[in-house]
Amino acid sequence: MRLSRYFLPVLKENPAEAQIVSHRYMLRAGMIKQQAAGIYSWLPLGYRVLRRIEQIVHEEQARAGHIPLLMPTLQPADLWRESGRYDDYGQEMLRIKDRHERDMLYGPTNEEMITDIFRSHVGSYKDLPLTLYHIQWKFRDEMRPRFGVMRGREFLMKDGYNFDLDKDAALHAYNRHMVSYLRTYERMGLTAIPMRAASGPIGGDNTHEFLVLASTGESEVFYDAAVTELKLGDREVDFDNRDEVAGICQEFTTLYARTDETHDAALFDQIPEDRRKVGRGIEVGQIFYFGTKYSEAMGATVVTPEGTKVPVEMGSHGIGVSRLLGAIIEASHDDKGIIWPEGVTPFPVGIVNLKQGDASTDLACEGLYKALAAKGLEALYDDREERAGAKFATMDLIGLPWRITVGPRGLANGVVELTSRRTGESEEMSAEAAVDRIVQVYAGHR
Ligand code: ATP
Ligand code: MG
């Protein structure tokens, strides 16, 4: 993308309404625009990151054997009357009437609708196990929408639902989600710690929230420092192997890590003192096992191998896709701007032309741009007639992990400069070597 032809409405001033750094940088970097309280347009740069995050979620769901579909945002109230939640959900639910005076709602979640789909089409144990998910906009009329996309009213969520014959199989689905989520967050450059949670309005007794440590998080968290060292990495996981998957869950949930809702001071005090940590965290996902709560209420049954009819066992599992942008920025920035992890960056690399209009620098930049494109890497090329300082400030603000700087002096010596946004360190090398390096860096990410 050539910056002169892109739409990147960067703000010079700090927007007064933004209280936390991620909200401030998302506005300043021209990623989002507020349209009403807690409702945002996604401008091109923000939209690119949002799509990257969706892509990672889809890839990791596929790895775990889960199947994507798409349910609508608007739902008929009657489905929610069947589960009893139409009255229970309260003011967070946006209720709408259509022209025929029928009660509708903008979905805050989809347990009822997915249960309806299941009961319409599945009736036998032979069709199990089954896990369906979608990435769709949700609406919750939050009392205090704030912190930009972190607590919106309209927000993008991945929500998945497992259907299983018995509790053991459903707990395997729960574990499968935990492992796939661990890998999902790691690919986004995050350490998200599964913490035992209290069940909210969705109900159920087996539930974990995934928290990213950040001083601006809304939850108070208590944990053993050793838990932050755990890594899934790229180990091969056989998602059908119950023991293997359960073993990984055990590895990640044995050390103490809880939110204030489930905190147990006596257990906490057993952690060696130098590892006992209290901090704050951002909830970026949650998994629930809730058994037959919805299947019983809504008549979603399956015939067992023995020929009896039983309500199907279920759970639901969510990732805060749009909130993740905020969480990633909270976890990865400095006083100049965002520092995107390679896995989610809107562009893999920026090219800065220090002397736009100079035949040799223009030619070198075009060459770099095309060489990267040929390797499947779309650079953001700053080809504007701007001062070098302004170009660097924009690149630092929008946070691309790598920058290639091309100037007449370097070119005279046959080199360009490759700079890491994270460390600030620069290295001179030939243009070809810079392309090779960028290709290498991203080999494991896309
Ligand atoms: P919270 O406690 O933060 O209100 P929740 O527990 O009600 O969230 P879930 O029903 O667990 O939310 O939804 C799954 C995920 O969706 C959450 O883990 C969170 O990352 C994201 N999410 C929930 N509410 C919002 C919101 N208002 N804005 C952005 N993301 C949200
Ligand atoms: Mg939650």
Side-chain angles (χ1 to χ4, degrees), residues 209 283 285-286 288:
E209 290 173 347
E283 183 193 326
Q286 183 159 15
F288 274 103

Side-chain angles (χ1 to χ4, degrees), residues 119-411:
R119 73 181 171 187
S120 305
H121 299 289
V122 185
S124 163
Y125 73 93
K126 291 179 192 153
D127 298 319
L128 305 181
L130 178 66
T131 294
L132 302 169
Y133 77 95
H134 69 165
I135 298 180
Q136 178 61 292
W137 294 93
K138 303 290 185 289
F139 196 95
R140 294 182 187 174
D141 206 350
E142 301 270 356
M143 177 81 111
R144 286 186 65 205
R146 58 194 172 138
F147 303 154
V149 300
M150 292 270 232
R151 184 163 297 283
R153 292 197 294 165
E154 189 186 45
F155 60 97
L156 191 59
M157 193 203 285
K158 171 267 169 182
D159 42 322
Y161 306 88
N162 68 284
F163 299 93
D164 289 280
L165 185 57
D166 55 36
K167 183 169 179 179
D168 280 353
L171 290 177
H172 173 55
Y174 181 89
N175 290 342
R176 222 169 45 226
H177 279 88
M178 182 178 292
V179 174
S180 70
Y181 280 21
L182 288 169
R183 187 167 166 134
T184 301
Y185 298 123
E186 278 186 22
R187 283 189 60 189
M188 298 175 189
L190 289 172
T191 303
I193 304 166
M195 301 198 183
R196 179 185 299 219
S199 61
I202 294 179
D205 38 49
N206 223 331
T207 172
H208 282 84
E209 290 173 347
F210 290 78
L211 285 113
V212 171
L213 298 175
S215 57
T216 48
E218 291 186 291
S219 315
E220 189 172 26
V221 295
F222 302 81
Y223 59 99
D224 181 331
V227 83
T228 61
E229 305 299 320
L230 300 174
K231 284 271 176 299
L232 187 66
D234 52 12
R235 58 180 110 161
E236 278 298 321
V237 178
D238 175 358
F239 278 95
D240 289 329
N241 183 329
R242 290 190 186 187
D243 292 339
E244 182 184 344
V245 172
I248 297 172
C249 292
Q250 185 126 47
E251 185 185 330
F252 281 82
T253 54
T254 301
L255 290 166
Y256 190 90
R258 295 196 186 182
T259 66
D260 49 1
E261 289 178 349
T262 51
H263 180 53
D264 179 331
L267 280 178
F268 187 61
D269 286 343
Q270 289 170 19
I271 306 168
E273 196 173 349
D274 58 320
R275 293 192 345 223
R276 228 179 277 158
K277 302 281 179 202
V278 182
R280 303 200 70 81
I282 301 166
E283 183 193 326
V284 292
Q286 183 159 15
I287 53 178
F288 274 103
Y289 160 73
F290 51 68
T292 57
K293 180 179 156 86
Y294 296 94
S295 55
E296 246 173 277
M298 297 180 63
T301 56
V302 279
V303 175
T304 67
E306 293 76 37
T308 52
K309 234 185 201 182
V310 295
V312 70
E313 286 274 334
M314 293 175 63
S316 70
H317 316 281
I319 293 181
V321 172
S322 51
R323 177 179 287 180
L324 271 164
L325 276 93
I328 292 166
I329 298 171
E330 290 296 327
S332 185
H333 67 269
D334 62 15
D335 55 9
K336 290 188 255 173
I338 302 165
I339 306 173
W340 290 116
E342 273 98 358
V344 298
T345 184
F347 295 95
V349 56
I351 301 172
V352 169
N353 187 340
L354 290 180
K355 201 169 179 197
Q356 199 66 45
D358 174 279
S360 66
T361 60
D362 288 5
L363 190 70
C365 288
E366 289 293 331
L368 272 169
Y369 185 73
K370 288 187 181 130
L372 288 160
K375 300 284 186 187
L377 295 166
E378 185 182 4
L380 181 66
Y381 170 23
D382 192 344
D383 59 344
R384 298 169 305 162
E385 311 254 341
E386 279 275 0
R387 288 178 301 109
K391 290 189 174 188
F392 290 147
T394 300
M395 284 293 174
D396 285 345
L397 173 63
I398 69 173
L400 309 185
W402 299 93
R403 185 184 82 209
I404 302 175
T405 309
V406 180
R409 213 170 339 130
L411 283 185

Side-chain angles (χ1 to χ4, degrees), residues 86-101:
Y86 189 64
D87 293 324
D88 290 353
Y89 216 91
Q91 297 226 289
E92 274 193 14
M93 180 184 279
L94 180 63
R95 294 154 208 263
I96 304 162
K97 270 198 201 300
D98 71 10
R99 68 197 297 166
H100 304 294
E101 293 290 307

